[in-house]
Amino acid sequence: MDFNTSTALITGSSGGIGEEFAIQLAQRGAHLVLVARRGDKLAKLRDTLTVKHPGIVVDVITADLAVPGSGAELEGKVRELGRSIDVLVNNAGVGLHGKFVLQTPEANAAQIQLNCGTLVDLTARFLPAMKERRHGVVINVASTAAFQPTPGMAVYGATKAFVLSFTEALWQECRGTGITVLALCPGATETEFFDRTGEEFLTDGRQTSQQVVDTALAALDKSSPTVVSGLRNVILASGYRVTPRKLMLAVSERLLKSN
């Protein structure tokens, strides 16, 4: 897929998978709108990318997308910049680790808002213009956690199941419109995600952000709504089809326990 001179909005782009999307899309000649809470890291990434790729424009928007109404505010800032979004990468997300009963209602509400609410909101705000132009890309970052319940990260897994279902439905609705929709399902990846949970788990077989983004960009040229990154993750994600639900819950809980 040709990204040259297109404009990509990437949420959660101050590190990890979002940062890697920015790096790889910049290499392909895309202009960027980088969004995250950490403005200092975004500014550093912008400076690095514009030095390496002087032909692109990189805008930085600092925003907390876990706050209700943040999608509308972000859309307004993009409009003020005069940017038309061709590629939307809904990457921002958070996961709480531990038993649900020990988590606060406020933290889980913020998790649902970020992982689901704002993702849907941003898609709703930028997709119609793509449809009018009959050209665009929407990549929603789900997870292999989307394929089965995840005791120990109950709300996180449920939010990613929502993202997967929403994105696959959107893929079907957008067929024949010139818009490419993809649900990206990474497994455990070497990012700050695990640092933020304050726990060590899923330490074996982690992929790099580069491997995940390589998989996503390669999948855009194929006619599939979903891609799972990594053969091991493909096998694990497909296990739900043949594993009894009760056994699957026990295995999933064991995998997510802290080391």
Side-chain angles (χ1 to χ4, degrees):
M1 181 169 289
D2 185 10
F3 292 99
N4 191 44
T5 71
S6 65
T7 298
L9 188 155
I10 307 168
T11 67
S13 48
S14 61
I17 294 172
E19 180 179 3
E20 184 63 29
F21 265 113
I23 291 169
Q24 294 207 28
L25 291 177
Q27 291 171 348
R28 290 163 170 77
H31 305 300
L32 303 173
V33 179
L34 306 179
V35 184
R37 290 181 303 167
R38 298 176 295 182
D40 55 338
K41 289 203 169 187
L42 291 180
K44 185 177 180 180
L45 178 58
R46 175 193 59 200
D47 294 344
T48 299
L49 293 177
T50 51
V51 168
K52 288 185 177 180
H53 311 285
I56 69 170
V57 177
V58 180
D59 293 306
V60 166
I61 299 177
T62 303
D64 184 354
L65 299 180
V67 176
S70 56
E73 186 175 345
L74 176 56
E75 181 191 27
K77 291 180 178 179
V78 171
R79 192 183 304 116
E80 289 174 5
L81 291 170
R83 305 296 289 272
S84 178
I85 302 303
D86 306 295
V87 180
L88 174 62
V89 182
N90 279 312
N91 167 72
V94 67
L96 300 183
H97 186 264
K99 291 188 180 297
F100 173 78
V101 72
L102 301 177
Q103 297 166 355
T104 67
E106 294 79 11
N108 273 313
Q111 183 178 197
I112 294 168
Q113 177 64 48
L114 177 60
N115 294 4
C116 300
T118 301
L119 179 146
V120 171
D121 190 22
L122 292 178
T123 305
R125 292 178 184 280
F126 293 111
L127 182 62
M130 296 182 192
K131 187 175 180 181
E132 287 182 10
R133 297 191 298 269
R134 296 191 63 82
H135 175 74
V137 175
V138 177
I139 301 174
N140 290 333
V141 179
S143 168
T144 52
F147 295 99
Q148 69 285 307
T150 53
M153 297 187 77
V155 175
Y156 175 77
T159 63
K160 292 305 182 178
F162 174 91
V163 172
L164 178 60
S165 178
F166 168 69
T167 308
E168 290 187 336
L170 197 63
W171 177 87
Q172 181 66 26
E173 291 183 7
C174 288
R175 295 186 72 180
T177 66
I179 299 168
T180 300
V181 177
L182 181 69
L184 171 61
C185 298
T189 308
E190 286 292 353
T191 69
E192 295 174 335
F193 176 90
F194 292 97
D195 295 335
R196 288 196 292 268
T197 67
E199 304 280 353
E200 273 296 312
F201 57 100
L202 292 176
T203 54
D204 294 332
R206 291 184 185 179
Q207 287 197 298
T208 66
S209 294
Q210 182 177 347
Q211 289 173 312
V212 172
V213 175
D214 284 347
T215 299
L217 296 182
L220 291 175
D221 292 319
K222 302 174 183 177
S223 57
S224 175
T226 305
V227 65
V228 177
S229 181
L231 178 59
R232 180 176 183 268
N233 293 324
V234 170
I235 295 170
L236 289 172
S238 61
Y240 77 97
R241 296 174 181 170
V242 296
T243 306
R245 300 289 289 183
K246 188 175 180 179
L247 175 59
M248 183 172 59
L249 284 165
V251 171
S252 180
E253 183 178 43
R254 191 176 306 118
L255 287 172
L256 289 172
K257 280 188 175 179
S258 302
N259 295 339

